[in-house]
Amino acid sequence: MLMKKILLATDFSPPAQELMACLAELKAQGMEEVVLFHAVSIVRAQGSALEVQRHYEERLQKEKKRLEAEGYQVSIRVPMGFPPEEIINTAVEEGASLILMGSHGGGMIRSLFLGSTTFDVVRLSPVPVLVEKFRDVNRKDYTPVCRLKFNRILFPTDFSPCARQVWQELMAMAPHIDSVVLVSVVQKVRDEAMWQELRNRNEQELQQMKKEMEAAGCEVAVHLTDGTPSRRILEIADEEAISLILMPRRGEGFIQQLLLGSTAEAVTRQSKQPVLLVPCDTHVMNGSGLL
């Protein structure tokens, strides 16, 4: 996955400001340009919207100058409108390869919940979204979990077309990754023979993926397990000291692209680790699966 141009969305809350510290690692992954972004909510600003817009433009200009002095290529965007919509539209217009956001709401850090803006962007964006998490969330000296983010990646898969598409993205990242943990969660079915057949098939798939990733130079661990997918993914992420969870963002339902898959949503909300959610092309989103 190429991360040449990143849109960093901030609401100027303390945790959002801490996202600036993540840029160094992203630059090491190939980032060439960052778009500093803030959307002025028309609903909140009302009659003072233009004044508020100028205020935030000035604040982002200061950040722009500071980052440029550190060697970054930076642009700023401060549109007015509905924040999730403006974030997505700007990311598409700018040709951004990634949206970087924090998992907080209303300026307060919440370890188990996404802010409404972040959640709306995650479920609607056609651009991959990296949701940063924070350490020491109950203290004032919290820090983003962004250092060595690409050191040890967990990739859960159900082998659906959507998951296979994201797997190719992960393979493209292999030169920048030290190790990968592959996870398949097999949910119980009443037919024991069918369940065992499914486990065997998934084991074969995982071992083939392991060979491909090892051939690319990565250390690989495999987990074939049972239970509730989101719960097992979160447990394995903690057990394996994961630095990033990479998942397809896919929903099931009549309007799939407007929904976030139940497992992806639960993992994104509850994980201690940052989560990178990659949308699938609509033509591969008609497979069934657990994500």
Side-chain angles (χ1 to χ4, degrees):
M1 180 186 300
L2 298 177
M3 300 184 186
K4 291 188 176 181
K5 192 171 188 178
I6 293 174
L7 184 146
L8 188 158
T10 178
D11 60 2
F12 294 99
S13 62
Q17 289 299 93
E18 289 292 333
L19 291 177
M20 301 289 179
C22 300
L23 293 178
E25 186 183 17
L26 294 173
K27 187 176 182 180
Q29 295 294 323
M31 183 191 77
E32 298 176 353
E33 183 179 354
V34 58
V35 179
L36 298 181
F37 176 96
H38 176 75
V40 177
S41 172
I42 294 294
V43 175
R44 292 184 180 181
Q46 297 183 355
S48 59
L50 288 175
E51 182 179 345
V52 172
Q53 185 182 44
R54 284 193 295 270
H55 168 75
Y56 286 122
E57 284 176 344
E58 291 174 0
R59 292 189 64 174
L60 285 185
Q61 283 291 352
K62 292 179 181 179
E63 293 289 353
K64 179 176 183 289
K65 290 180 180 179
R66 181 180 66 81
L67 291 172
E68 286 177 335
E70 297 176 7
Y72 293 95
Q73 182 179 343
V74 186
S75 59
I76 66 171
R77 293 285 297 270
V78 189
M80 289 188 285
F82 178 57
E85 182 178 312
E86 295 301 329
I87 291 171
I88 294 169
N89 289 344
T90 301
V92 172
E93 291 169 6
E94 290 280 351
S97 49
L98 182 72
I99 297 172
L100 175 61
M101 304 183 71
S103 60
H104 61 91
M108 298 182 65
I109 300 173
R110 302 175 183 180
S111 60
L112 298 182
F113 298 96
L114 296 181
S116 60
T117 297
T118 300
F119 180 71
D120 285 342
V121 171
V122 163
R123 69 187 180 89
L124 295 171
S125 175
V127 177
V129 181
L130 175 54
V131 180
E132 183 58 84
K133 298 300 181 81
F134 296 84
R135 292 190 182 94
D136 301 322
V137 295
N138 296 318
R139 296 164 46 183
K140 292 183 179 179
D141 59 343
Y142 55 84
T143 57
V145 185
C146 62
R147 293 160 186 82
L148 300 179
K149 192 189 315 296
F150 298 91
N151 182 50
R152 190 165 176 78
I153 294 180
L154 184 149
F155 178 70
T157 181
D158 61 358
F159 311 104
S160 63
C162 182
R164 294 181 191 281
Q165 181 185 349
V166 179
W167 167 249
Q168 294 305 315
E169 298 279 6
L170 179 60
M171 285 295 296
M173 295 167 62
H176 304 287
I177 302 170
D178 291 336
S179 60
V180 172
V181 176
L182 304 175
V183 176
S184 172
V185 184
V186 183
Q187 294 177 288
K188 271 287 189 179
V189 294
R190 292 184 179 181
D191 188 322
E192 185 72 21
M194 182 182 297
W195 176 75
Q196 189 59 53
E197 181 182 349
L198 182 60
R199 282 183 59 88
N200 292 341
R201 187 184 67 190
N202 286 10
E203 175 68 25
Q204 292 176 3
E205 293 268 13
L206 287 173
Q207 290 303 323
Q208 179 59 39
M209 293 168 68
K210 182 174 185 287
K211 289 180 181 179
E212 292 177 16
M213 187 58 72
E214 286 177 336
C218 291
E219 176 186 332
V220 183
V222 170
H223 284 264
L224 177 64
T225 185
D226 309 312
T228 304
S230 60
R231 183 178 302 170
R232 289 300 295 133
I233 290 168
L234 292 168
E235 290 171 349
I236 293 169
D238 290 341
E239 293 166 7
E240 290 280 1
I242 292 300
S243 60
L244 175 71
I245 299 173
L246 172 66
M247 299 185 69
R249 187 220 73 193
R250 189 200 53 232
E252 299 177 18
F254 183 64
I255 309 179
Q256 292 181 336
Q257 61 267 37
L258 298 183
L259 302 175
L260 183 65
S262 59
T263 297
E265 176 184 346
V267 170
T268 305
R269 287 183 181 276
Q270 299 177 35
S271 72
K272 299 173 186 175
Q273 300 81 9
V275 181
L276 174 53
L277 294 122
V278 180
C280 295
D281 293 338
T282 54
H283 72 274
V284 300
M285 290 178 65
N286 54 8
S288 61
L290 60 86
L291 297 182

